[in-house]
Every structure is written in C-alpha cells, then in structure tokens.
Amino acid sequence: MLNKHLFLALFLGFLVQLPSYANTKTSNEQHVETVDARFAAWQRQFKRKALEQGIKSHIFAHAFEHITPDQSIIKADENQPEHVRPVWQYLESAISSWRVARGKALLAEHRRTLDAIEKEYQVDRHVLVAIWGLESSFGRHLGNKNIIRSLATLAFEGRRANFWEQQLIAALHIIQNGDVTLDKMRGSWAGAMGQTQFIPTTYLAHAVDFDGDGRRDIWDSPADALASAANYLQHSQWNPGQSWGFEVKLPTLFEYDSADGQQQKTLQQWLDLGVRIRKDRELTEQELAMSASIILPAGYRGPAFMQLDNFRSILKYNQATSYALAVGLLSDSLQGELFSLHRWPQDEVPLSRTERVELQELLNQLGLDAGKPDGIIGVNSRKAIREFQLNHDQPADGYPSNRLLDKVREIHQAQP
Ligand code: CA
C-alpha cells in the first residue's frame, strides 16, 4: 500500500510548487478544508445510521459538538513499529515487582468485594486482579482520549471502518443510557475504556453495576470494573476452579509442530507423550481429562506452556497470546510464584518488520503459502514456516527466528 502520508506529502509538495497568487489559501489550509468537508459529509451519512439504530438526535448533536478528526489516531492506527520487544521482555514488565506487590495489596484491600464477585461469577480473583493490573495498572492509566472523537476518527479514516462505526454507535448508546457523561467517557486511542479497558460493544454486553449505585462505572468503581471483567470471562466460558495452564517440560524427542497452540489433546495424552508439568502439583482425574494445547512463545529454545480452556477465555478478552500468558503468569505470581527469565532465549533478537516481510516473501517464492507479506506472522505464516522446517530437518516450532531467516535465504538462493 502506498503510504497515505507519503502520498499526502508528495501531493502537498506539488501544491507548494504552484505559482502563488494573492488571496489564495496556503496548501495547508486547503488540506484542512478538504478534511473538514469530508468529515462533515461522513458525519451526515453516519448520523442517519445512528438514528436508525435508536440514537436520539439531540444525543448525537451533543456528542458530536466540536468533534474534529484526530490525526494522531490515524498515525497510531497505521503505525506498525519496525522493531518489537521480545516476548520475555514484555512479560518481565507485565509481571514487574511493582505490579505483583500492588496486586497483592489490592487483593487484601478488596477482599470482601472479591469474595462477593467470586461467589457471583465463579471466576478466580487472581486472574481478575491480573487483568486489572495489565489493562490499566489497577486503575492508574485509563487513557485520556475523548472516546467519541477517537472512534469517529477511526470510523472516518481508519481501516475496518464498519467495526469502528459499530463501536461508535455502541458508545452513543452508553451516553444515551446515562451510565457515564460525555466528559467522563475517556480511554485509549482505540476506544478501550475504564479500568477494564472495555471497547463500547463489550461494555454494553458485559459491564455490570456491582456496587449498586445504579450506574455501570468501570472508570471510577473498582467493584464495577472487577465484576464486569468477571462477567465477561464467565460469558467467555470460564471454567470455575480450573487453571489457565502451566509451564511444561517437553521430552527430548518431541514433534514441535504439535505445539502450535491449536492441536488439542487431553492432558493425559500429552503426559503419555512424555510432556511433564513443571509445577509440583497433583492432577485430579477431571484435570487429566481436560483438553489442552501447547504453545512455544519463543520457539523451541524457550519455555513451553500448556494452555487449558480458561486460557482461551482470556484470549477472548484480548487475542494476543502474549497477553493471555502475562495474565496467567501474573495471576500465579500474585499467589507467590516467581517469574524467571532464565529459560527464555535472551540472546535472540526478534526479526524486524522488514525482515518479517522478507521472510514471508521468500517463503511464498519457495511455494509455501505464508499469506500476504504484511510483516504480521499469523496462522498462515507460522504454518508455512513449519512446512519449511519439516522439509529441512529443523525443529518445526513455526517460530520466525534469525536462524530460520538465514536458512530460508540460503535455500532460496540455492534455487535454480
Ligand atoms: Ca456502580
């Protein structure tokens, strides 16, 4: 895709070189005018949809008063950083000693509320507090963007316009219901709100008033926020009394392509294959019958984790595996377990975006379908990597390491 900003810069550069006349506007003013006109036109057609879906005209007018597109949000939406942190560095900061200590203090402080929430929703309090800690540092960082402006900008200019329009209509319903005032409805640039960072549709479906003041206040009420997260997890098929998963040790001879996070076996079947649980714990018969899959977040050189059904419930909250793993490990840390970096391959540097695109292009040229070369290593890319690894006697972990890229380059060059 031709970068929109580059295109705009070229376009404006062209305008600047035109002969200038007295009383004509500068190119920048012309650009602003065009954006404003386009935004006004978008707003008119969007208003029709909002009214059709039950938003009252005066609520719409109130919400859109003084709303202009926020260019910083478009940039944030388009930005795919060149370099990413390795997953173990993300986990190290997610499970920081501050977050563990604060989480433990809050577990004690909110004990009675959490007793009541566990009773009502049967979701483990440590997982709820871990989510609270990761989403907003326990209510410290809620985001300060005007949600209507953020969502309007994304619906107007962003990718996935339909998704953002749906979120914006949900946000207008929240205002119309009176759960929160327009001024108070703030959050992240991508529309995540309050201590639980719910997007508006999630809020409408799952937020609850747990402290009984008649409003679902995930901004200022920890009880409402924690109970809303519990309600959401319960609706995401949370299994009461079960773990999210645990670290496992794989046997020396292991088919790494079965550790793709998708293939399900019962815990007993994995044990029969020689997989061992690192934690010293007795497994009940019910647990041995649970269905589980294995993930290798840093490839075969790093630690392996078994994910149970509750891990998949956390993924519904946020679909990044590293996030769900952070929630699980932080919830364990809140119960006294230590997170250690020593099993992670800290000598490895994650591929840059440019290198990931190159990897995808080379795999495609080798006839393995890595999907569109967009720098995002998703299911297709991992599958193509595994196929390559199996063809060349490498551990088939599907992990895009530097070593792997070197090997792919080598094979690609040797091609006739
Ligand atoms: Ca409330």
Side-chain angles (χ1 to χ4, degrees):
M1 176 183 84
L2 177 60
N3 181 300
K4 208 189 282 180
H5 297 289
L6 176 64
F7 181 77
L8 195 61
L10 292 172
F11 177 65
L12 290 175
F14 172 70
L15 283 182
V16 171
Q17 281 165 33
L18 287 175
S20 58
Y21 301 96
N23 296 329
T24 51
K25 289 177 176 169
T26 67
S27 56
N28 203 32
E29 280 166 349
Q30 285 174 355
H31 168 61
V32 168
E33 205 169 68
T34 353
V35 171
D36 284 352
R38 279 174 44 231
F39 186 68
W42 168 83
Q43 200 177 307
R44 275 192 300 276
Q45 61 84 25
F46 174 70
K47 184 178 179 179
R48 273 198 302 276
K49 289 186 201 170
L51 297 196
E52 272 167 25
Q53 292 188 48
I55 299 300
K56 296 195 176 82
S57 189
H58 73 277
I59 296 283
F60 190 94
H62 174 50
F64 272 83
E65 216 179 338
H66 311 304
I67 292 286
T68 55
D70 180 344
Q71 288 307 316
S72 70
I73 287 175
I74 298 296
K75 279 205 189 103
D77 187 42
E78 287 176 347
N79 185 30
Q80 226 200 93
E82 180 64 13
H83 297 283
V84 292
R85 273 192 302 179
V87 60
W88 51 92
Q89 276 179 22
Y90 163 72
L91 292 172
E92 192 187 16
S93 73
I95 310 161
S96 67
S97 50
W98 174 81
R99 211 176 255 107
V100 174
R102 182 83 187 127
K104 283 179 177 171
L106 288 166
L107 277 164
E109 192 181 312
H110 294 280
R111 188 174 53 82
R112 289 172 67 181
T113 304
L114 288 162
D115 285 345
I117 290 173
E118 269 188 350
K119 194 161 172 244
E120 175 87 22
Y121 301 100
Q122 274 117 52
V123 178
D124 176 20
R125 68 184 64 205
H126 305 98
V127 167
L128 296 175
V129 171
I131 287 175
W132 191 21
L134 288 175
E135 291 296 337
S136 64
S137 294
F138 311 107
R140 281 192 175 194
H141 304 299
L142 309 186
N144 201 27
K145 292 272 189 195
N146 175 320
I147 290 291
I148 300 293
R149 186 181 186 203
S150 300
L151 294 173
T153 303
L154 289 162
F156 167 56
E157 290 231 74
R159 303 165 292 158
R160 302 191 293 152
N162 286 343
F163 171 79
W164 297 117
E165 282 196 358
Q166 192 195 357
Q167 294 304 323
L168 184 50
I169 286 172
L172 292 167
H173 275 292
I174 295 168
I175 296 290
Q176 188 160 294
N177 295 347
D179 282 307
V180 64
T181 62
L182 200 50
D183 186 49
K184 193 87 226 284
M185 192 194 232
R186 293 189 169 266
S188 80
W189 67 265
M193 313 181 297
Q195 304 198 17
T196 52
Q197 295 286 284
F198 275 5
I199 55 172
T201 49
T202 304
Y203 177 99
L204 277 184
H206 302 296
V208 293
D209 168 27
F210 201 73
D211 62 14
D213 71 348
R215 293 182 312 116
R216 304 188 284 174
D217 184 2
I218 58 171
W219 291 265
D220 283 337
S221 163
D224 285 7
L226 288 163
S228 296
N231 186 41
Y232 188 22
L233 284 182
Q234 192 192 43
H235 280 100
S236 305
Q237 284 80 49
W238 183 267
N239 295 285
Q242 283 182 11
S243 168
W244 60 274
F246 20 70
E247 191 181 344
V248 291
K249 188 176 182 314
L250 303 180
T252 321
L253 288 175
F254 184 75
E255 288 174 5
Y256 287 103
D257 55 328
S258 66
D260 61 357
Q262 310 288 322
Q263 290 182 52
Q264 307 278 332
K265 299 182 197 298
T266 64
L267 240 166
Q268 183 63 61
Q269 285 170 326
W270 287 116
L271 294 183
D272 292 344
L273 287 171
V275 174
R276 292 291 169 260
I277 292 165
R278 283 204 176 262
K279 229 186 260 188
D280 201 16
R281 70 198 289 274
E282 287 277 319
L283 293 168
T284 63
E285 228 168 273
Q286 195 201 0
E287 283 179 315
L288 288 169
M290 284 190 300
S291 104
S293 52
I294 294 178
I295 50 167
L296 298 164
Y300 78 98
R301 295 179 63 230
F305 296 90
M306 191 168 272
Q307 47 182 24
L308 305 176
D309 287 339
N310 283 344
F311 192 91
R312 284 181 277 278
S313 303
I314 301 170
L315 281 175
K316 288 193 188 138
Y317 203 107
N318 177 329
Q319 58 183 346
T321 301
S322 50
Y323 171 85
L325 189 57
V327 168
L329 292 172
L330 179 56
S331 75
D332 288 350
S333 298
L334 294 174
Q335 296 168 81
E337 272 181 47
L338 289 180
F339 172 72
S340 151
L341 281 177
H342 86 268
R343 275 194 285 274
W344 294 85
Q346 293 175 65
D347 56 326
E348 274 195 29
V349 180
L351 295 184
S352 68
R353 194 186 113 75
T354 309
E355 288 168 330
R356 294 194 301 271
V357 170
E358 183 195 347
L359 175 65
Q360 291 171 315
E361 282 169 348
L362 295 180
L363 288 169
N364 283 339
Q365 284 164 27
L366 288 171
L368 302 165
D369 182 12
K372 195 178 101 197
D374 55 3
I376 299 165
I377 304 296
V379 177
N380 287 336
S381 298
R382 287 185 192 280
K383 211 169 144 236
I385 294 172
R386 279 199 183 85
E387 243 176 284
F388 177 88
Q389 290 169 322
L390 287 171
N391 292 345
H392 297 92
D393 295 325
Q394 313 252 315
D397 60 2
Y399 184 70
S401 67
N402 279 288
R403 244 169 274 222
L404 171 86
L405 177 58
D406 285 344
K407 184 77 184 164
V408 171
R409 283 174 178 150
E410 184 195 314
I411 299 291
H412 183 263
Q413 266 184 358
Q415 285 260 309

